Protein backbone atom coordinates (compact mmCIF):
# COMPACT_ATOMS: atom_id res chain seq x y z
CA UNK A 1 0.00 0.00 0.00
CA UNK A 2 1.16 3.50 -0.79
CA UNK A 3 -0.43 5.76 1.82
CA UNK A 4 0.99 8.95 0.30
CA UNK A 5 -0.52 8.09 -3.09
CA UNK A 6 -3.91 7.30 -1.52
CA UNK A 7 -3.92 10.54 0.49
CA UNK A 8 -3.00 12.50 -2.65
CA UNK A 9 -5.88 10.90 -4.56
CA UNK A 10 -8.38 11.65 -1.79
CA UNK A 11 -7.11 15.25 -1.77
CA UNK A 12 -7.57 15.48 -5.52
CA UNK A 13 -11.11 14.11 -5.33
CA UNK A 14 -11.97 16.77 -2.75
CA UNK A 15 -11.50 19.38 -5.50
CA UNK A 16 -12.29 17.46 -8.69
CA UNK A 17 -15.52 18.59 -10.38
CA UNK A 18 -18.43 16.20 -10.17
CA UNK A 19 -19.87 14.78 -13.40
CA UNK A 20 -23.40 15.40 -14.62
CA UNK A 21 -24.05 11.68 -15.15
CA UNK A 22 -23.15 8.31 -13.64
CA UNK A 23 -20.27 6.40 -15.17
CA UNK A 24 -16.77 5.02 -14.81
CA UNK A 25 -13.85 7.26 -13.94
CA UNK A 26 -10.09 6.90 -14.10
CA UNK A 27 -10.08 5.72 -10.46
CA UNK A 28 -13.42 3.89 -10.07
CA UNK A 29 -16.80 5.42 -10.80
CA UNK A 30 -18.64 8.67 -10.24
CA UNK A 31 -22.00 10.32 -10.45
CA UNK A 32 -23.68 13.63 -9.76
CA UNK A 33 -22.25 14.84 -6.47
CA UNK A 34 -19.80 12.01 -5.78
CA UNK A 35 -16.63 10.15 -6.68
CA UNK A 36 -15.77 6.58 -5.64
CA UNK A 37 -12.14 5.52 -5.98
CA UNK A 38 -10.92 1.94 -5.69
CA UNK A 39 -7.63 2.34 -3.83
CA UNK A 40 -6.77 -1.34 -3.51
CA UNK A 41 -8.48 -4.60 -4.27
CA UNK A 42 -8.14 -8.21 -5.15
CA UNK A 43 -8.93 -7.63 -8.81
CA UNK A 44 -11.21 -10.66 -8.90
CA UNK A 45 -12.82 -13.32 -6.73
CA UNK A 46 -10.72 -14.60 -3.83
CA UNK A 47 -10.10 -18.28 -3.19
CA UNK A 48 -12.84 -19.38 -0.79
CA UNK A 49 -13.88 -18.05 2.59
CA UNK A 50 -10.38 -18.31 4.08
CA UNK A 51 -8.87 -16.32 1.21
CA UNK A 52 -11.64 -13.76 1.54
CA UNK A 53 -10.98 -13.38 5.29
CA UNK A 54 -7.26 -12.88 4.72
CA UNK A 55 -7.92 -10.27 2.01
CA UNK A 56 -10.42 -8.38 4.18
CA UNK A 57 -8.04 -8.38 7.15
CA UNK A 58 -5.21 -6.99 5.01
CA UNK A 59 -7.43 -4.29 3.53
CA UNK A 60 -8.78 -3.33 6.96
CA UNK A 61 -5.20 -2.82 8.18
CA UNK A 62 -4.55 -0.64 5.12
CA UNK A 63 -7.80 1.27 5.76
CA UNK A 64 -6.73 1.95 9.33
CA UNK A 65 -3.26 3.10 8.22
CA UNK A 66 -4.95 5.47 5.76
CA UNK A 67 -7.21 6.63 8.60
CA UNK A 68 -4.14 7.57 10.66
CA UNK A 69 -2.79 9.72 7.82
CA UNK A 70 -6.13 11.42 7.17
CA UNK A 71 -6.87 11.88 10.89
CA UNK A 72 -3.58 13.75 11.22
CA UNK A 73 -4.95 16.25 8.68
CA UNK A 74 -8.66 16.36 9.44
CA UNK A 75 -8.90 15.15 13.04
CA UNK A 76 -9.75 11.93 14.75
CA UNK A 77 -13.26 10.56 14.25
CA UNK A 78 -15.22 7.60 15.53
CA UNK A 79 -15.94 4.75 13.13
CA UNK A 80 -19.22 5.20 11.27
CA UNK A 81 -21.47 2.12 11.49
CA UNK A 82 -22.84 1.60 7.98
CA UNK A 83 -25.01 -1.31 9.11
CA UNK A 84 -27.44 1.16 10.67
CA UNK A 85 -27.58 3.08 7.39
CA UNK A 86 -28.28 -0.18 5.55
CA UNK A 87 -31.15 -0.98 7.93
CA UNK A 88 -32.63 2.44 7.24
CA UNK A 89 -32.76 1.73 3.48
CA UNK A 90 -35.74 -0.55 4.16
CA UNK A 91 -37.91 2.36 5.30
CA UNK A 92 -36.38 5.49 3.79
CA UNK A 93 -34.53 6.61 0.71
CA UNK A 94 -30.83 6.94 1.44
CA UNK A 95 -28.99 9.18 -1.04
CA UNK A 96 -26.06 8.05 -3.13
CA UNK A 97 -23.26 7.32 -2.58
CA UNK A 98 -24.27 6.38 0.97
CA UNK A 99 -26.79 3.73 -0.08
CA UNK A 100 -24.16 2.10 -2.31
CA UNK A 101 -21.52 2.19 0.44
CA UNK A 102 -23.83 0.87 3.17
CA UNK A 103 -24.78 -2.09 0.98
CA UNK A 104 -21.12 -3.06 0.59
CA UNK A 105 -19.24 -2.07 3.78
CA UNK A 106 -19.86 -2.46 7.49
CA UNK A 107 -17.87 0.47 8.81
CA UNK A 108 -16.17 3.57 7.42
CA UNK A 109 -14.01 6.41 8.59
CA UNK A 110 -15.80 9.64 7.71
CA UNK A 111 -14.76 13.30 7.74
CA UNK A 112 -16.28 16.59 6.74
CA UNK A 113 -13.42 18.09 4.75
CA UNK A 114 -13.01 21.66 5.97
CA UNK A 115 -13.32 24.38 3.38
CA UNK A 116 -14.54 22.14 0.56
CA UNK A 117 -18.22 21.48 1.27
CA UNK A 118 -17.44 17.79 0.82
CA UNK A 119 -17.37 14.62 2.87
CA UNK A 120 -14.70 11.94 2.55
CA UNK A 121 -14.94 8.33 3.70
CA UNK A 122 -12.68 5.31 3.49
CA UNK A 123 -14.02 1.77 3.85
CA UNK A 124 -13.44 -1.85 2.95
CA UNK A 125 -16.18 -3.24 0.71
CA UNK A 126 -16.98 -6.91 0.24
CA UNK A 127 -19.22 -7.89 3.16
CA UNK A 128 -19.57 -11.55 2.22
CA UNK A 129 -17.13 -14.27 1.11
CA UNK A 130 -18.71 -14.16 -2.37
CA UNK A 131 -17.79 -10.47 -2.76
CA UNK A 132 -14.48 -9.09 -3.97
CA UNK A 133 -12.91 -7.05 -1.14
CA UNK A 134 -11.71 -3.54 -2.01
CA UNK A 135 -10.41 -0.51 -0.15
CA UNK A 136 -12.42 2.46 -1.41
CA UNK A 137 -12.54 6.19 -0.89
CA UNK A 138 -15.78 8.11 -1.32
CA UNK A 139 -15.85 11.89 -1.76
CA UNK A 140 -19.22 13.58 -1.98
CA UNK A 141 -21.11 16.78 -1.42
CA UNK A 142 -24.04 14.78 -0.03
CA UNK A 143 -24.34 15.03 3.73
CA UNK A 144 -24.27 11.57 5.34
CA UNK A 145 -27.68 10.31 6.45
Amino acid sequence: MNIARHVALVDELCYRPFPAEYGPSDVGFEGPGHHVAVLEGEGGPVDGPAGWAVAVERLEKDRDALYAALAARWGEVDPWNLRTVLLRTAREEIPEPWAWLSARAGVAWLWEVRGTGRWAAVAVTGRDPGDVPQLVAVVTETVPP
Side-chain angles (χ1 to χ4, degrees):
M1 179 176 86
N2 187 328
I3 293 176
R5 186 177 68 224
H6 294 337
V7 169
L9 178 57
V10 172
D11 278 343
E12 177 195 334
L13 295 177
C14 287
Y15 296 96
R16 184 185 282 192
F18 293 119
E21 298 181 17
Y22 290 96
S25 73
D26 59 326
V27 295
F29 65 92
E30 56 193 3
H34 68 271
H35 302 289
V36 176
V38 177
L39 303 175
E40 295 181 40
E42 294 305 306
V46 292
D47 188 23
W52 173 84
V54 168
V56 167
E57 183 177 346
R58 179 184 62 80
L59 291 170
E60 286 175 343
K61 286 179 183 176
D62 291 348
R63 177 201 61 206
D64 294 344
L66 182 55
Y67 164 80
L70 293 173
R73 297 169 148 222
W74 297 331
E76 293 188 14
V77 295
D78 292 327
W80 184 34
N81 184 349
L82 291 166
R83 289 175 184 94
T84 59
V85 177
L86 181 62
L87 289 172
R88 290 171 52 196
T89 62
R91 64 182 184 282
E92 64 183 278
E93 188 168 329
I94 301 295
E96 294 300 346
W98 306 122
W100 176 87
L101 188 61
S102 71
R104 288 161 181 79
V107 67
W109 297 108
L110 173 68
W111 296 267
E112 184 174 8
V113 184
R114 295 179 210 108
T116 66
R118 295 185 181 195
W119 294 83
V122 292
V124 174
T125 62
R127 285 181 183 260
D128 301 312
D131 298 334
V132 177
Q134 296 178 315
L135 175 61
V136 299
V138 174
V139 175
T140 182
E141 63 187 4
T142 305
V143 176

